[in-house]
Amino acid sequence: MSDVQEFSFQAEIKQLLHILSHSLYQNREIALRELISNASDALNKLRHIQLSDDQYRDDQPLEISLEPNKEAKLLVVRDNGIGMTHDELVENLGTIAHSGSKEFFRGLAAAQTTPGGQPDLSLIGQFGVGFYAAFMLAEKVEVVTRSYREQSGWRWESDGSGRFSVSAVAGDVPRGAQIRLHLKEDMAEFLDPAHLKQVVRRYSTFVPHPIRLEGETINEQKPIWVEPKGQVTEQQHAAFYQWLTHHSEEQPLWNLHLSSDSPIQFHAILYCPPTNVELMGFGRVERGLNLCAKRVLVEDDCHDLLPEYLRFLRGVVDSADLPLNVSRETLQDNKLLPKLRRVLTKKVLDHLASLADEQPETFKTFYEQFGGIVRTGLGQDFENGERIARLMRFHSTQEEFDPHQPAAPTVSLDEYVRRAVEDQTQIYYLGGPHLKTLVQHPHLDAFRKRKLEVLFLADPIDEFALTQLGRFADKELISIDSEEVKFPKSSTPADEPAATPAPPHFTRVVELFRGALAAKIADVRESSRLTGGVCCLVNPQGKMSNQLQKVLSLSVPDYELPKRILEINPRTALMQRLCELSVNPDNDEFIRDCGRQLYANALMTDGVAPDIEDATSRTLRFMEELARSRSAIIV
Ligand code: ADP
Ligand code: MG
């Protein structure tokens, strides 16, 4: 075996390197940020090992140093962290298994291409590029490293074309890693200490280890989350957010700074990004919060501190109640985490509720971006159901809007309840795929006449969510196509004739209808909701609404639609005449046919196709009969 081993980069890395080293991408400073963040990770890992295993302890202070060398056009980023073994070098710096570059690739896949056919890198610059960003600055990169577990070191080397080499280093190599950047021609500024200082202050000031340059510590490392809430400025928040997220320009939409002493001691700062990258096609956000114990990072991207429906938040949680030497594995069983999660979840939801009151514009942006994710919490987090429901916004009959071009929905459940009449015990809603058709739905007549507000749920997720919730502020949430709808007495329209009894023989007609439709429906009965129309279909108690039935029938094979109830309005001309005709048994079959056709009509009103052959042949017969009874003689 020769002393120098040659390796080929994985194909994706070649592609990445090509983009990075040839891009005109302005923001080259981020390369330094990536290298410093790797050094910091390596120090965190070592500190953790030292805390759990005595044999690796020593009195070297853990630190990062920047060593510019003008003559050699060389910039070294050095740390005394865990370092890498031969195999780790090959694995970590030759494949794309790592979060930094993986994220970049997802970004690349989703990014728009510029007119020149290049991916739009300004967008991608928001994502961690990882180690390979070194090739934005350097024509050759060397990594000289010694793992904390080994006595001798290794050199990794590449010029960023397709290959890299690894060789053993003779002589002493200090523990940790030196990333040796042989800078490109036009990168001289990275040899200027003043410029390096500025870049570190801008992107890396919150790195929790000293960053040394010419004998001086140049970062602040101030953990702003332990500061009193009022003393952290907006600029500090922005800088901390940018450090956490690796975003260089973005400002958080809002921040939530929390401190508590009991029952659990913790400090936390949570940030909401201004945009939801999941909506832009970047896939699911896999990031989490940074968890610290007494300011020392225990786990970055910890997913156990917030429920999934708040997964877009970033930030840090620091608790003195957490043992310093806790590991990812033992963290799983730690009793503190579920407690922290409960407190944080409540605080975030309460914060959002007050945001809606105090900063409606910010809340509106938040809801447009993240409303879709937060709403999914209703089906998952029963403890906070009402808190989540409070954040939802709907269109409603009370609102003036153009159903062809609706703006964002604005009606909250609280607002609905405030407007409801005193004896109203239910919150009415109607679900369906298009707002355009929803606003014209025949079921709404009864509610409009009584001036009762109905919420529109154009997204089936909302309806599933409300079904899960069941009640809000002591009122039952109910789909208006349910037979369980109850109208408040006080809402009876003034022009409604005082409950006139149904015409004589109405029960006979109902019986004939029942007989004709027995196989298809659950029942036929008199309606208390219809004022103008002859009939409608409602869902029996406990059955799902039409919208949910439709969704299920599309996704569940062999899903059987539940039988519905045909409600009839006896105070209509047609029904009155049928009642009169029903005394003569000769009319039975005609009345049955009318029942069948009314059912077909009701189905069509709900957007469901009846038995077409049956319905068309019957209407044809009706027309023939009518045509026969008309006269051709002009009088
Ligand atoms: P990420 O940091 O997201 O894992 P990177 O591309 O930045 O991805 O780094 C790849 C891997 O290389 C790291 O996960 C780490 O294992 C290793 N690595 C990079 N820099 C260092 C370093 N200074 N010391 C030890 N290991 C390092
Ligand atoms: Mg990294």
Side-chain angles (χ1 to χ4, degrees):
M1 196 173 89
S2 77
D3 288 351
V4 179
Q5 282 180 282
E6 290 278 339
F7 297 87
S8 216
F9 283 116
Q10 216 184 350
E12 287 92 337
I13 302 228
K14 286 188 197 165
Q15 191 190 342
L16 175 64
L17 286 172
H18 183 83
I19 294 171
L20 288 175
S21 55
H22 292 88
S23 75
L24 298 172
Y25 183 45
Q26 292 303 305
N27 212 350
R28 295 190 158 106
E29 281 89 5
I30 63 156
L32 204 57
R33 172 190 75 191
E34 296 293 339
L35 298 179
I36 291 175
S37 119
N38 284 351
S40 173
D41 291 347
L43 293 172
N44 287 339
K45 287 177 195 157
L46 185 76
R47 175 160 54 193
H48 188 256
I49 288 161
Q50 290 180 329
L51 283 169
S52 17
D53 194 339
D54 291 352
Q55 63 164 310
Y56 298 115
R57 270 181 223 171
D58 58 24
D59 44 18
Q60 271 189 57
L62 299 182
E63 59 184 25
I64 300 164
S65 61
L66 301 183
E67 299 162 10
N69 177 336
K70 283 208 166 101
E71 291 68 47
K73 286 195 192 139
L74 176 71
L75 173 66
V76 179
V77 181
R78 180 196 296 270
D79 68 73
N80 53 357
I82 51 166
M84 282 175 273
T85 63
H86 169 277
D87 292 355
E88 284 166 349
L89 267 178
V90 175
E91 165 73 18
N92 296 341
L93 305 185
T95 60
I96 194 118
H98 295 280
S99 51
S101 15
K102 243 188 180 161
E103 214 185 34
F104 182 89
F105 262 97
R106 281 203 296 177
L108 198 62
Q112 302 283 324
T113 46
T114 59
Q118 285 278 336
D120 180 358
L121 288 170
S122 62
L123 194 58
I124 296 168
Q126 299 181 351
F127 293 85
V129 191
F131 168 77
Y132 304 103
F135 289 96
M136 292 167 85
L137 308 181
E139 54 191 22
K140 186 171 89 175
V141 178
E142 283 174 280
V143 179
V144 177
T145 177
R146 178 169 69 81
S147 163
Y148 72 101
R149 284 175 291 165
E150 294 188 334
Q151 301 310 316
S152 57
W154 297 95
R155 176 194 313 275
W156 178 103
E157 198 179 318
S158 175
D159 64 2
S161 50
R163 306 172 68 77
F164 64 93
S165 67
V166 178
S167 54
V169 180
D172 283 349
V173 175
R175 183 196 66 213
Q178 303 165 43
I179 315 298
R180 302 169 65 83
L181 305 168
H182 297 270
L183 297 176
K184 293 182 190 171
E185 266 318 310
D186 53 341
M187 296 294 167
E189 57 186 20
F190 287 94
L191 297 168
D192 171 13
H195 181 69
L196 290 173
K197 221 170 177 173
Q198 192 193 328
V199 175
V200 167
R201 292 247 164 90
R202 172 128 169 67
Y203 293 107
S204 306
T205 197
F206 294 100
V207 167
H209 303 280
I211 302 173
R212 317 266 297 166
L213 175 66
E214 300 185 310
E216 202 193 331
T217 299
I218 56 171
N219 61 327
E220 289 188 33
Q221 334 160 45
K222 200 162 116 200
I224 61 168
W225 58 94
V226 302
E227 300 283 307
K229 183 175 171 155
Q231 286 178 23
V232 182
T233 64
E234 288 301 314
Q235 284 90 330
Q236 281 177 304
H237 276 303
F240 186 48
Y241 172 80
Q242 288 166 0
W243 177 71
L244 274 174
T245 57
H246 289 209
H247 283 210
S248 26
E249 308 298 334
E250 218 172 79
Q251 307 272 339
L253 187 62
W254 49 260
N255 71 67
L256 178 60
H257 191 163
L258 302 165
S259 287
S260 149
D261 283 326
S262 70
I264 322 167
Q265 193 287 331
F266 75 92
H267 297 284
I269 299 185
L270 303 181
Y271 293 107
C272 180
T275 48
N276 180 359
V277 288
E278 292 189 23
L279 293 179
M280 295 156 72
F282 284 109
R284 215 180 143 80
V285 171
E286 303 287 0
R287 289 302 179 77
L289 301 179
N290 286 1
L291 177 62
C292 297
K294 299 196 190 76
R295 308 182 189 192
V296 174
L297 184 70
V298 173
E299 187 180 359
D300 50 4
D301 295 335
C302 178
H303 293 285
D304 301 317
L305 290 167
L306 286 173
E308 266 195 60
Y309 65 89
L310 297 176
R311 62 179 174 270
F312 48 86
L313 296 180
R314 305 295 299 273
V316 57
V317 180
D318 187 339
S319 174
D321 296 344
L322 211 60
L324 266 181
N325 63 348
V326 69
S327 70
R328 274 174 195 250
E329 293 70 39
T330 56
L331 206 53
Q332 298 292 313
D333 308 319
N334 196 292
K335 300 267 185 304
L336 192 67
L337 252 51
K339 288 187 194 150
L340 274 171
R341 174 181 159 130
R342 256 183 100 183
V343 178
L344 291 171
T345 307
K346 283 210 169 61
K347 295 277 183 191
V348 169
L349 295 175
D350 289 344
H351 174 69
L352 287 169
S354 48
L355 197 68
D357 288 339
E358 291 155 19
Q359 296 176 47
E361 281 306 307
T362 309
F363 181 80
K364 193 169 157 248
T365 310
F366 170 81
Y367 194 76
E368 282 164 7
Q369 294 292 324
F370 301 102
I373 300 184
V374 174
R375 286 179 309 189
T376 62
L378 265 189
Q380 300 161 9
D381 183 350
F382 299 104
E383 192 183 332
N384 290 305
E386 188 138 332
R387 280 193 175 80
I388 300 168
R390 193 153 263 140
L391 303 176
M392 293 172 72
R393 297 292 182 269
F394 308 93
H395 289 295
S396 98
T397 46
Q398 218 79 333
E399 211 193 6
E400 299 238 345
F401 65 92
D402 175 1
H404 296 273
Q405 272 178 329
T410 58
V411 180
S412 70
L413 288 174
D414 280 317
E415 205 175 339
Y416 181 103
V417 169
R418 261 198 305 279
R419 288 203 280 246
V421 294
E422 211 177 310
D423 53 341
Q424 187 174 337
T425 58
Q426 296 174 317
I427 295 173
Y428 310 113
Y429 63 76
L430 175 64
H434 305 293
L435 220 43
K436 289 199 285 262
T437 43
L438 276 181
V439 294
Q440 295 164 0
H441 200 283
H443 273 307
L444 286 172
D445 282 353
F447 294 82
R448 289 211 172 96
K449 282 220 174 72
R450 293 174 170 85
K451 297 200 166 50
L452 295 170
E453 181 167 12
V454 178
L455 301 173
F456 295 124
L457 312 185
D459 185 343
I461 298 203
D462 285 345
E463 200 176 334
F464 275 112
L466 292 191
T467 314
Q468 297 276 4
L469 188 65
R471 305 183 73 80
F472 181 87
D474 260 5
K475 298 199 191 315
E476 183 189 9
L477 289 152
I478 191 134
S479 170
I480 63 169
D481 56 24
S482 162
E483 73 153 328
E484 290 166 276
V485 164
K486 298 183 196 81
F487 292 115
K489 281 228 158 46
S490 67
S491 72
T492 313
D495 60 349
E496 187 167 282
T500 43
H505 315 299
F506 180 63
T507 44
R508 172 72 188 144
V509 176
V510 167
E511 230 165 75
L512 288 168
F513 281 8
R514 261 190 208 130
L517 296 166
K520 296 189 172 106
I521 59 175
D523 199 7
V524 181
R525 66 172 70 140
E526 180 180 343
S527 178
S528 58
R529 71 172 77 202
L530 290 170
T531 42
V534 184
C535 67
C536 67
L537 281 164
V538 298
N539 287 299
Q541 197 164 19
K543 296 288 184 214
M544 268 181 264
S545 74
N546 292 355
Q547 148 139 303
L548 293 193
Q549 290 175 31
K550 275 183 209 157
V551 172
L552 278 185
S553 66
L554 290 177
S555 54
V556 180
D558 304 326
Y559 175 77
E560 247 187 75
L561 292 172
K563 288 183 180 171
R564 294 154 74 191
I565 297 166
L566 184 66
E567 284 195 0
I568 307 283
N569 181 0
R571 283 164 284 275
T572 47
L574 175 70
M575 288 312 297
Q576 268 156 11
R577 181 65 185 145
L578 291 184
C579 290
E580 288 162 20
L581 293 175
S582 70
V583 293
N584 178 358
D586 281 355
N587 291 323
D588 283 1
E589 193 47 30
F590 172 71
I591 293 173
R592 281 195 202 98
D593 264 349
C594 287
R596 293 184 187 107
Q597 190 55 42
L598 283 172
Y599 172 63
N601 287 4
L603 280 178
M604 288 190 282
T605 319
D606 279 351
V608 180
D611 181 338
I612 302 284
E613 165 62 23
D614 178 62
T616 46
S617 60
R618 189 169 41 245
T619 39
L620 200 63
R621 247 186 301 119
F622 284 170
M623 284 189 279
E624 282 167 359
E625 246 175 70
L626 262 177
R628 255 201 311 278
S629 66
R630 294 185 84 85
S631 164
I633 299 162
I634 304 167
V635 283

Short mmCIF file of all heavy atoms in Angstrom, two decimals, residues 80-112:
data_model
loop_
_atom_site.label_atom_id
_atom_site.label_comp_id
_atom_site.label_asym_id
_atom_site.label_seq_id
_atom_site.Cartn_x
_atom_site.Cartn_y
_atom_site.Cartn_z
N ASN A 80 -9.24 22.40 18.71
CA ASN A 80 -8.70 21.25 19.43
C ASN A 80 -9.84 20.36 19.93
O ASN A 80 -9.90 19.95 21.06
CB ASN A 80 -7.75 21.68 20.56
CG ASN A 80 -8.40 22.69 21.49
OD1 ASN A 80 -9.54 23.11 21.27
ND2 ASN A 80 -7.70 23.10 22.53
N GLY A 81 -10.76 20.09 19.01
CA GLY A 81 -11.92 19.24 19.30
C GLY A 81 -11.65 17.76 19.10
O GLY A 81 -10.51 17.32 19.26
N ILE A 82 -12.67 17.01 18.71
CA ILE A 82 -12.50 15.54 18.66
C ILE A 82 -11.61 15.07 17.51
O ILE A 82 -11.09 13.97 17.58
CB ILE A 82 -13.83 14.76 18.53
CG1 ILE A 82 -14.68 15.31 17.39
CG2 ILE A 82 -14.59 14.71 19.82
CD1 ILE A 82 -15.80 14.37 17.03
N GLY A 83 -11.46 15.85 16.46
CA GLY A 83 -10.63 15.40 15.34
C GLY A 83 -11.28 14.24 14.60
O GLY A 83 -12.42 13.86 14.88
N MET A 84 -10.53 13.69 13.62
CA MET A 84 -11.08 12.58 12.84
C MET A 84 -10.04 11.49 12.63
O MET A 84 -8.85 11.79 12.45
CB MET A 84 -11.56 13.07 11.47
CG MET A 84 -12.92 13.78 11.52
SD MET A 84 -13.39 14.47 9.91
CE MET A 84 -12.60 16.07 9.98
N THR A 85 -10.48 10.24 12.64
CA THR A 85 -9.61 9.12 12.29
C THR A 85 -9.56 9.01 10.76
O THR A 85 -10.30 9.71 10.06
CB THR A 85 -10.19 7.80 12.83
OG1 THR A 85 -11.45 7.58 12.20
CG2 THR A 85 -10.39 7.84 14.34
N HIS A 86 -8.73 8.12 10.29
CA HIS A 86 -8.64 7.89 8.84
C HIS A 86 -10.02 7.61 8.25
O HIS A 86 -10.45 8.24 7.28
CB HIS A 86 -7.68 6.72 8.58
CG HIS A 86 -7.70 6.23 7.17
ND1 HIS A 86 -8.64 5.34 6.71
CD2 HIS A 86 -6.90 6.52 6.11
CE1 HIS A 86 -8.42 5.09 5.43
NE2 HIS A 86 -7.36 5.80 5.05
N ASP A 87 -10.73 6.67 8.87
CA ASP A 87 -12.02 6.28 8.30
C ASP A 87 -13.05 7.39 8.40
O ASP A 87 -13.89 7.56 7.52
CB ASP A 87 -12.54 5.02 9.00
CG ASP A 87 -11.68 3.80 8.66
OD1 ASP A 87 -10.76 3.95 7.81
OD2 ASP A 87 -11.92 2.73 9.24
N GLU A 88 -12.98 8.14 9.48
CA GLU A 88 -13.92 9.26 9.62
C GLU A 88 -13.66 10.32 8.56
O GLU A 88 -14.60 10.93 8.03
CB GLU A 88 -13.82 9.87 11.03
CG GLU A 88 -14.50 9.00 12.09
CD GLU A 88 -14.15 9.38 13.53
OE1 GLU A 88 -13.21 10.17 13.73
OE2 GLU A 88 -14.80 8.85 14.43
N LEU A 89 -12.39 10.55 8.26
CA LEU A 89 -12.07 11.52 7.21
C LEU A 89 -12.71 11.12 5.88
O LEU A 89 -13.32 11.93 5.19
CB LEU A 89 -10.55 11.58 7.00
CG LEU A 89 -9.76 12.62 7.76
CD1 LEU A 89 -8.29 12.46 7.42
CD2 LEU A 89 -10.22 14.02 7.43
N VAL A 90 -12.53 9.84 5.54
CA VAL A 90 -13.06 9.36 4.26
C VAL A 90 -14.58 9.44 4.25
O VAL A 90 -15.20 9.89 3.28
CB VAL A 90 -12.59 7.91 4.00
CG1 VAL A 90 -13.23 7.36 2.73
CG2 VAL A 90 -11.07 7.86 3.92
N GLU A 91 -15.15 9.05 5.37
CA GLU A 91 -16.61 9.02 5.45
C GLU A 91 -17.20 10.44 5.51
O GLU A 91 -18.10 10.79 4.77
CB GLU A 91 -17.01 8.21 6.71
CG GLU A 91 -18.44 8.34 7.17
CD GLU A 91 -19.42 7.62 6.27
OE1 GLU A 91 -18.96 6.74 5.50
OE2 GLU A 91 -20.62 7.95 6.33
N ASN A 92 -16.64 11.28 6.40
CA ASN A 92 -17.26 12.59 6.63
C ASN A 92 -16.97 13.60 5.52
O ASN A 92 -17.79 14.47 5.23
CB ASN A 92 -16.77 13.19 7.95
CG ASN A 92 -17.20 12.36 9.14
OD1 ASN A 92 -18.13 11.56 9.03
ND2 ASN A 92 -16.53 12.53 10.27
N LEU A 93 -15.80 13.50 4.92
CA LEU A 93 -15.43 14.51 3.92
C LEU A 93 -15.38 13.91 2.51
O LEU A 93 -14.68 14.41 1.65
CB LEU A 93 -14.09 15.15 4.28
CG LEU A 93 -14.00 15.76 5.69
CD1 LEU A 93 -12.68 16.47 5.88
CD2 LEU A 93 -15.15 16.74 5.95
N GLY A 94 -16.15 12.86 2.30
CA GLY A 94 -16.16 12.28 0.96
C GLY A 94 -17.55 11.88 0.51
O GLY A 94 -17.79 11.56 -0.64
N THR A 95 -18.49 11.91 1.43
CA THR A 95 -19.86 11.52 1.09
C THR A 95 -20.81 12.62 1.53
O THR A 95 -20.42 13.58 2.19
CB THR A 95 -20.29 10.21 1.79
OG1 THR A 95 -20.18 10.42 3.19
CG2 THR A 95 -19.42 9.05 1.37
N ILE A 96 -22.05 12.43 1.20
CA ILE A 96 -23.01 13.50 1.44
C ILE A 96 -23.99 13.14 2.56
O ILE A 96 -25.10 13.60 2.63
CB ILE A 96 -23.73 13.84 0.12
CG1 ILE A 96 -24.49 15.16 0.19
CG2 ILE A 96 -24.65 12.73 -0.32
CD1 ILE A 96 -23.95 16.13 -0.79
N ALA A 97 -23.51 12.31 3.46
CA ALA A 97 -24.40 11.83 4.53
C ALA A 97 -24.69 12.90 5.56
O ALA A 97 -25.40 12.67 6.52
CB ALA A 97 -23.77 10.62 5.19
N HIS A 98 -24.13 14.11 5.38
CA HIS A 98 -24.20 15.09 6.46
C HIS A 98 -25.25 16.15 6.24
O HIS A 98 -25.51 16.55 5.13
CB HIS A 98 -22.83 15.69 6.70
CG HIS A 98 -21.92 14.63 7.17
ND1 HIS A 98 -21.92 14.21 8.46
CD2 HIS A 98 -21.10 13.81 6.49
CE1 HIS A 98 -21.10 13.20 8.57
NE2 HIS A 98 -20.59 12.93 7.39
N SER A 99 -25.79 16.57 7.37
CA SER A 99 -26.96 17.44 7.32
C SER A 99 -26.68 18.69 6.51
O SER A 99 -27.49 19.10 5.69
CB SER A 99 -27.38 17.81 8.73
OG SER A 99 -26.27 18.28 9.45
N GLY A 100 -25.53 19.32 6.71
CA GLY A 100 -25.24 20.58 6.05
C GLY A 100 -25.41 20.47 4.55
O GLY A 100 -26.26 21.13 3.95
N SER A 101 -24.66 19.58 3.95
CA SER A 101 -24.70 19.52 2.50
C SER A 101 -25.99 18.88 1.98
O SER A 101 -26.44 19.18 0.89
CB SER A 101 -23.48 18.80 1.97
OG SER A 101 -22.83 18.10 2.97
N LYS A 102 -26.59 18.02 2.81
CA LYS A 102 -27.87 17.41 2.41
C LYS A 102 -28.93 18.48 2.22
O LYS A 102 -29.69 18.47 1.26
CB LYS A 102 -28.33 16.47 3.51
CG LYS A 102 -28.42 15.03 3.10
CD LYS A 102 -29.06 14.33 4.24
CE LYS A 102 -29.26 12.88 4.07
NZ LYS A 102 -29.46 12.25 5.38
N GLU A 103 -28.94 19.40 3.18
CA GLU A 103 -29.93 20.47 3.13
C GLU A 103 -29.72 21.31 1.87
O GLU A 103 -30.67 21.71 1.20
CB GLU A 103 -29.77 21.35 4.36
CG GLU A 103 -31.08 21.91 4.84
CD GLU A 103 -30.88 22.88 5.98
OE1 GLU A 103 -29.86 23.59 5.99
OE2 GLU A 103 -31.76 22.92 6.84
N PHE A 104 -28.47 21.53 1.58
CA PHE A 104 -28.14 22.29 0.38
C PHE A 104 -28.73 21.61 -0.85
O PHE A 104 -29.28 22.25 -1.73
CB PHE A 104 -26.62 22.38 0.25
CG PHE A 104 -26.16 23.18 -0.93
CD1 PHE A 104 -25.98 24.54 -0.82
CD2 PHE A 104 -25.91 22.57 -2.14
CE1 PHE A 104 -25.54 25.28 -1.90
CE2 PHE A 104 -25.48 23.30 -3.23
CZ PHE A 104 -25.29 24.67 -3.10
N PHE A 105 -28.63 20.29 -0.88
CA PHE A 105 -29.13 19.58 -2.05
C PHE A 105 -30.64 19.65 -2.18
O PHE A 105 -31.17 19.77 -3.27
CB PHE A 105 -28.67 18.13 -2.05
CG PHE A 105 -27.48 17.98 -2.92
CD1 PHE A 105 -26.22 18.00 -2.37
CD2 PHE A 105 -27.62 17.90 -4.29
CE1 PHE A 105 -25.12 17.93 -3.18
CE2 PHE A 105 -26.53 17.83 -5.10
CZ PHE A 105 -25.26 17.83 -4.55
N ARG A 106 -31.29 19.58 -1.03
CA ARG A 106 -32.74 19.73 -1.11
C ARG A 106 -33.08 21.10 -1.66
O ARG A 106 -33.98 21.28 -2.45
CB ARG A 106 -33.36 19.53 0.27
CG ARG A 106 -33.48 18.07 0.64
CD ARG A 106 -34.54 17.89 1.67
NE ARG A 106 -34.13 18.59 2.89
CZ ARG A 106 -34.87 18.69 3.97
NH1 ARG A 106 -36.06 18.16 4.00
NH2 ARG A 106 -34.44 19.32 5.03
N GLY A 107 -32.30 22.10 -1.20
CA GLY A 107 -32.52 23.46 -1.67
C GLY A 107 -32.29 23.54 -3.17
O GLY A 107 -33.08 24.13 -3.91
N LEU A 108 -31.25 22.88 -3.62
CA LEU A 108 -30.89 22.90 -5.03
C LEU A 108 -32.02 22.33 -5.88
O LEU A 108 -32.38 22.85 -6.93
CB LEU A 108 -29.63 22.07 -5.22
CG LEU A 108 -28.86 22.28 -6.50
CD1 LEU A 108 -28.38 23.71 -6.58
CD2 LEU A 108 -27.67 21.32 -6.54
N ALA A 109 -32.61 21.25 -5.39
CA ALA A 109 -33.68 20.59 -6.14
C ALA A 109 -34.88 21.50 -6.24
O ALA A 109 -35.58 21.52 -7.26
CB ALA A 109 -34.05 19.29 -5.46
N ALA A 110 -35.13 22.28 -5.19
CA ALA A 110 -36.34 23.11 -5.18
C ALA A 110 -36.11 24.49 -5.79
O ALA A 110 -37.05 25.18 -6.13
CB ALA A 110 -36.83 23.26 -3.74
N ALA A 111 -34.85 24.87 -5.94
CA ALA A 111 -34.57 26.25 -6.35
C ALA A 111 -34.98 26.51 -7.79
O ALA A 111 -34.92 25.63 -8.65
CB ALA A 111 -33.08 26.54 -6.18
N GLN A 112 -35.37 27.73 -8.04
CA GLN A 112 -35.65 28.17 -9.40
C GLN A 112 -34.31 28.26 -10.12
O GLN A 112 -33.29 28.56 -9.52
CB GLN A 112 -36.21 29.60 -9.36
CG GLN A 112 -37.46 29.74 -8.54
CD GLN A 112 -38.66 29.22 -9.31
OE1 GLN A 112 -38.72 29.38 -10.52
NE2 GLN A 112 -39.58 28.58 -8.61
#
